[in-house]
Amino acid sequence: MIIEESLSANGKKIYYRFIWGRGSSDRMSAGIFTYAHPKSQVEKNHNKEVLAMLELKRSQLILDRQSIGMGYIPAHRYKQNFLDFFEEVFTNNIRTGKRHLHISFNHFKNIQEKTANSGEVTEELCLR
């Protein structure tokens, strides 16, 4: 996987993206920038922290790619509590006029509170 740098139009920032192939779907913006010419200590510290985050993000993407089809879930993808995971899914996928994820989350949460379950999702719980 390659990390590509591109200079902004005004030349003040450097933006990054991940490339692991030649197709358009094989490129992903990192959503991270560094200062091209840091002027203060704050900007220098920002650059150091961002480069560390960029390397972490790169390693997580490599783990995701390598675990496809193996049944292995990388630690950064694994959520201990299913309700936390479900809540994150429906907040990230909010669409106007679509309430089915929110309603199903509330229903699932109510069922789990009644059974006083510790967050384990079993087939029996899902059937309820």
Side-chain angles (χ1 to χ4, degrees):
M1 177 179 295
I2 298 170
I3 299 175
E4 184 181 70
E5 302 176 358
S6 61
L7 197 61
S8 65
N10 61 5
K12 292 184 179 181
K13 295 179 182 178
I14 300 172
Y15 293 96
Y16 298 92
R17 66 181 183 167
F18 301 109
I19 299 175
W20 52 84
R22 293 183 180 207
S24 62
S25 63
D26 294 336
R27 296 180 175 128
M28 185 177 84
S29 173
I32 295 175
F33 73 90
T34 56
Y35 295 99
H37 307 289
K39 295 176 183 155
S40 66
Q41 189 61 37
V42 173
E43 290 179 357
K44 289 178 185 177
N45 290 341
H46 169 80
N47 285 357
K48 284 181 187 177
E49 293 291 323
V50 164
L51 292 175
M53 286 188 329
L54 190 65
E55 190 58 36
L56 176 68
K57 210 171 189 182
R58 177 180 174 265
S59 63
Q60 288 176 347
L61 283 171
I62 289 173
L63 280 175
D64 285 345
R65 286 269 183 186
Q66 290 177 344
S67 66
I68 292 175
M70 298 180 86
Y72 172 74
I73 301 171
H76 68 277
R77 290 274 181 210
Y78 182 72
K79 302 285 185 195
Q80 191 68 20
N81 189 345
F82 180 73
L83 283 177
D84 295 339
F85 168 74
F86 196 5
E87 186 173 18
E88 182 180 324
V89 166
F90 94 76
T91 54
N92 290 338
N93 294 302
I94 292 176
R95 306 282 187 267
T96 55
K98 307 286 184 188
R99 300 178 305 159
H100 62 280
L101 281 177
H102 182 67
I103 290 170
S104 63
F105 171 73
N106 287 337
H107 183 67
F108 195 83
K109 190 170 150 184
N110 289 338
I111 289 173
Q112 195 163 12
E113 286 173 357
K114 289 177 186 174
T115 60
N117 202 345
S118 65
E120 277 188 31
V121 178
T122 61
E123 186 177 349
E124 179 185 328
L125 181 64
C126 290
L127 289 174
R128 277 192 236 151

